[in-house]
Amino acid sequence: MLHPISRRLRTCLLSTLSVALPGLGCASAAHAEESQFGYVYTTDLLPQGAKEVEQWATWRHQKIAGYFDQIDGRTEFEYGMTDKLQLAFYANYVWSRAYHNGPFEETTPPEPLSYDRPGPDDHYNAKRFVGFSGEAIYRLWSPYTDPLGVAIYVEPTIGPQFRELETKLILQKNFLDDRLVTAFNFTYAPELRYDWADDAKTHKRWQEETDVNLNIAASYRFAPNWSAGIEFLNEHEYNSYNFSNESNDGYFVGPVIHYGGKKFFVTATFLEQLPWATAHADTVPGAIVGRRIYDNDFEKYRVRIKAGWYF
């Protein structure tokens, strides 16, 4: 049986559009799986047997001083096993350049490249393969047939010096005949990173870290195939697996724009870090400036672009 949102792709909502969008003719709701948000996931999945290729690019810009740029890339293949279960496989890679960007104006590489140790005055430039990831999303309830959309997400990642198991609880609620989509994600992502154990670089060891995020988003379909909205991210890092030894917390907000065609979609999100960061027992000295945190995965600006093709 077709998912209700897929049926909307084949049905012209003439009565609704005659009120909301007069003169524009036939239009359709979003594709069953297209990503309306850059960071926040929804419970919309590919229908059984459908396939998709996605390309992500995330630009991270500006830290404490000097210059800093990082581009995270992801190439992903997704497949609808059933109408409730979606599987994916993807490759992750990163490029970065930095100079006098860290605490006390030292050159510091980003977290995916933290095992590099440039000199404090070096002009750093590097690119690496981060690892392969698998992904499974299982939808328990649909926002189109149940009071609330609920899904569970599991994503293991394995790389040369990195291990992670990212899990999410995904909630979705739609309003205004599904033109307004709201979503919430709770993420718990324990990881191991093989990194230097001390500043003297005498030996490496596997180090524990956990990312805990609470993210919300809303998007409104204002024209056929077009949606726009806002995303808010609340990110925390712990040097443990049990919510102890917190090191960083950061808050980001910004607009998102989305276009969904018959065979492809494009989504772009711009985020700026809010001056809400606080110091914790494990916060690196000098990493908070103007109440913004600039350690590890935190920077002032982010831009993420996602494009997908269905076949």
Side-chain angles (χ1 to χ4, degrees):
M1 184 175 68
L2 281 174
H3 189 285
I5 197 169
S6 296
R7 291 200 295 269
R8 290 185 179 86
L9 283 168
R10 297 163 175 81
T11 303
C12 296
L13 301 178
L14 296 177
S15 60
T16 301
L17 291 172
S18 65
V19 176
L21 298 169
L24 290 177
C26 178
S28 63
H31 189 277
E33 194 279 330
E34 65 186 52
S35 300
Q36 295 192 52
F37 305 111
Y39 290 83
V40 177
Y41 283 74
T42 68
T43 62
D44 295 335
L45 306 179
L46 289 172
Q48 184 174 4
K51 297 177 285 293
E52 178 190 346
V53 172
E54 282 190 15
Q55 180 62 52
W56 295 24
T58 304
W59 176 36
R60 303 169 183 262
H61 177 65
Q62 191 174 331
K63 292 221 175 188
I64 294 174
Y67 64 75
F68 173 83
D69 293 287
Q70 176 184 338
I71 296 179
D72 301 313
R74 169 181 289 184
T75 303
E76 179 174 2
F77 172 78
E78 297 182 352
Y79 180 72
M81 288 292 294
T82 71
D83 286 346
K84 290 188 174 183
L85 176 62
Q86 177 179 293
L87 301 180
F89 175 80
Y90 40 91
N92 308 285
Y93 35 93
V94 63
W95 166 84
S96 181
R97 66 167 194 158
Y99 175 69
H100 284 180
N101 59 297
F104 314 112
E105 297 191 10
E106 294 186 353
T107 298
T108 305
E111 187 173 54
L113 302 167
S114 60
Y115 44 81
D116 288 347
R117 285 292 188 268
D121 297 313
D122 286 353
H123 290 264
Y124 177 79
N125 192 314
K127 57 180 180 287
R128 297 283 193 281
F129 169 72
V130 176
F132 290 110
S133 299
E135 176 186 288
I137 306 177
Y138 184 78
R139 183 176 58 231
L140 301 171
W141 292 350
S142 169
Y144 309 100
T145 57
D146 299 296
L148 182 70
V150 180
I152 303 298
Y153 172 109
V154 179
E155 178 202 304
T157 298
I158 298 178
Q161 303 186 69
F162 180 70
R163 308 286 189 273
E164 183 182 57
L165 181 62
E166 182 176 336
T167 60
K168 295 181 190 290
L169 172 65
I170 304 171
L171 306 179
Q172 179 180 342
K173 182 68 176 178
N174 295 355
F175 303 92
L176 303 177
D177 195 26
D178 301 328
R179 295 195 304 276
L180 176 62
V181 175
T182 64
F184 167 82
N185 295 173
F186 171 76
T187 301
Y188 175 78
E191 64 184 49
L192 283 170
R193 192 177 300 275
Y194 194 61
D195 208 342
W196 296 106
D198 52 48
D199 292 337
K201 298 193 295 185
T202 57
H203 68 283
K204 290 184 177 182
R205 64 177 176 86
W206 288 100
Q207 300 180 34
E208 298 178 0
E209 183 182 303
T210 302
D211 294 336
V212 177
N213 304 332
L214 295 92
N215 303 336
I216 60 175
S219 180
Y220 181 76
R221 191 174 74 254
F222 62 88
N225 303 324
W226 286 94
S227 300
I230 189 169
E231 297 192 63
F232 175 82
L233 313 185
N234 176 4
E235 301 181 345
H236 299 259
E237 290 185 336
Y238 299 85
N239 293 327
S240 69
Y241 293 156
N242 60 0
F243 301 97
S244 63
N245 303 107
E246 184 170 2
S247 56
N248 303 311
D249 67 327
Y251 302 82
F252 296 82
V253 68
V256 57
I257 185 75
H258 168 79
Y259 175 81
K262 184 177 181 180
K263 291 292 185 180
F264 72 97
F265 75 84
V266 178
T267 302
T269 297
F270 170 81
L271 298 177
E272 180 175 356
Q273 187 179 166
L274 297 168
W276 294 358
T278 55
H280 304 276
D282 283 11
T283 301
V284 172
I288 296 179
V289 176
R291 294 202 62 190
R292 293 181 174 92
I293 182 71
Y294 293 108
D295 190 27
N296 291 349
D297 282 336
F298 297 89
E299 58 288 316
K300 188 171 184 181
Y301 302 109
R302 294 179 186 175
V303 176
R304 173 171 288 177
I305 298 175
K306 298 163 66 173
W309 295 267
Y310 309 108
F311 59 97

